[in-house]
Amino acid sequence: MVEIRRFCEVDRPALRALFGRAGEGAPTASLWGHEESEAAIYLTPYMDLEPESLFVAVVDGELVGYLTGSLGTAVPPENARMERAIREHRLLLRRRSAAFFARSLRDVAGATVRRQPAAGELHDPRWPAHLHINLLPQARGTGAAAGLMDAWSARLRETGTPGCYLQTLVENRRATRFFERVGFVAHGPAPAVPGLRYEGGRVHQLTMVRPAA
Ligand SMILES: CC(C)(COP(=O)(O)OP(=O)(O)OC[C@H]1O[C@@H](n2cnc3c(N)ncnc32)[C@H](O)[C@@H]1OP(=O)(O)O)[C@@H](O)C(=O)NCCC(=O)NCCS
C-alpha cells in the first residue's frame, strides 16, 4: 500500500537520499554529475521555502517518491538557483560539471545564431505554479505518481491557484504519457536543452500546462 502525505522536516535526510536515486533511468537522471549541487537547485529550496507544497509517497515506512511543488513565488527562479549553485559548489572548477556548462554555452550560442527558441522556465500568470515528480523504479506503475498528483491538485485548489506547468523532455515518453493522462497538455515550442545529452543525442524541453480545476 502506498501512503501519500505532506513532507515533514524529519523526512529531510531520507528525501535527500531518495533524490539521488528516484530519477534513475530518466534522461535527466544526472545533469552534470554532481548530485549535491543538483539537489541544491531541484530539491533543497523546495524543502526550505515551500515544504507545504512538497508531498512524499511512502511504502512500508520508506520514501519511494516525491513531488516538489511551488505555487509561484516562494522558490526563486531556476536561473538564480543555478547561478548560486555554480558559485557555491565551484562547479566551473570541477571537470565534469565545467564540461557540461561549456557545452551549454556552445549550445546556447548555436541556437542564438540559428534563431532557435531558448529553453527556460515558463512565466505566464495562467500557470504560475510548477512541479517536479520522481519515483524510485519499484514505485513506478503503482499509482504512487497519481496519488502525489492528486495531493498537489488539492493544494492548488485550496490555495486558489489558477494553473500549473511542468517541464519535462519530449524524449521522456513514460513521463509525458503520465502527464497527459492526468490532464497536462503541451504548450509552446520544444527547444533543445543546452548542455544535456541522452544516449549521445540532444534532448528537447517539453513544457506542459494544466488549469487547476
Ligand atoms: C514519470 C513518473 C512520475 C510517472 O509515473 P509512473 O508510475 O511511472 O506512471 P505510469 O505507470 O502511469 O506510466 C505512464 C505511462 O507510461 C507507460 N510506460 C510504462 N513503461 C514505459 C516505458 N518504459 N516507456 C514508455 N512508456 C512507458 C505506461 O503504460 C503509461 O502509459 P498509459 O497511461 O498510456 O498506459 C515515473 O515514471 C518516474 O518517476 N520516472 C522517473 C523520473 C522522471 O522521469 N520524472 C519526471 C521528470 S519531468
Side-chain angles (χ1 to χ4, degrees):
M1 271 300 283
V2 185
E3 179 202 353
I4 305 294
R5 62 167 173 76
R6 209 182 289 264
F7 166 80
C8 311
E9 194 49 41
V10 290
D11 295 323
R12 189 176 281 261
L15 185 54
R16 173 62 187 82
L18 178 66
F19 175 83
R21 298 182 294 134
E24 198 180 293
T28 42
S30 176
L31 299 172
W32 45 87
H34 185 253
E35 195 183 297
E36 207 183 324
S37 56
E38 292 175 9
I41 299 169
Y42 296 107
L43 178 64
T44 315
Y46 296 86
M47 293 194 291
D48 290 347
L49 303 171
E50 206 170 329
E52 58 285 358
S53 295
L54 206 174
F55 299 92
V56 292
V58 184
V59 173
D60 295 333
E62 301 286 335
L63 300 197
V64 296
Y66 64 90
L67 182 155
T68 49
S70 173
L71 297 179
T73 50
V75 173
E78 186 178 17
N79 276 354
R81 287 179 276 139
M82 196 168 283
E83 280 167 24
R84 183 173 172 182
I86 289 173
R87 227 177 23 251
E88 291 187 351
H89 293 272
R90 298 167 175 261
L91 294 179
L92 300 183
L93 301 179
R94 294 173 188 274
R95 203 162 48 143
R96 189 165 164 198
S97 41
F100 177 95
F101 289 109
R103 193 166 61 231
S104 281
L105 286 178
R106 284 198 299 277
D107 289 346
V108 168
T112 307
V113 167
R114 289 190 289 276
R115 297 175 190 272
Q116 290 167 340
E121 284 182 312
L122 181 67
H123 297 284
D124 187 317
R126 290 173 293 176
W127 301 288
H130 74 269
L131 71 97
H132 303 277
I133 183 169
N134 286 298
L135 303 180
L136 286 180
Q138 65 266 28
R140 299 174 197 165
T142 65
L148 287 166
M149 202 57 93
D150 286 348
W152 170 237
S153 301
R155 167 110 181 112
L156 292 174
R157 281 195 303 276
E158 282 157 20
T159 53
T161 307
C164 170
Y165 79 95
L166 62 85
Q167 291 181 313
T168 184
L169 298 176
V170 172
E171 290 76 10
N172 193 344
R173 281 303 296 146
R174 182 166 192 155
T176 58
R177 285 176 67 148
F178 168 72
F179 293 134
E180 282 163 3
R181 211 180 61 228
V182 295
F184 283 86
V185 293
H187 175 80
V193 179
L196 193 60
R197 299 291 185 275
Y198 179 62
E199 295 176 343
R202 299 295 304 263
V203 290
H204 301 81
Q205 182 182 55
L206 178 64
T207 299
M208 302 182 84
V209 298
R210 191 184 73 172

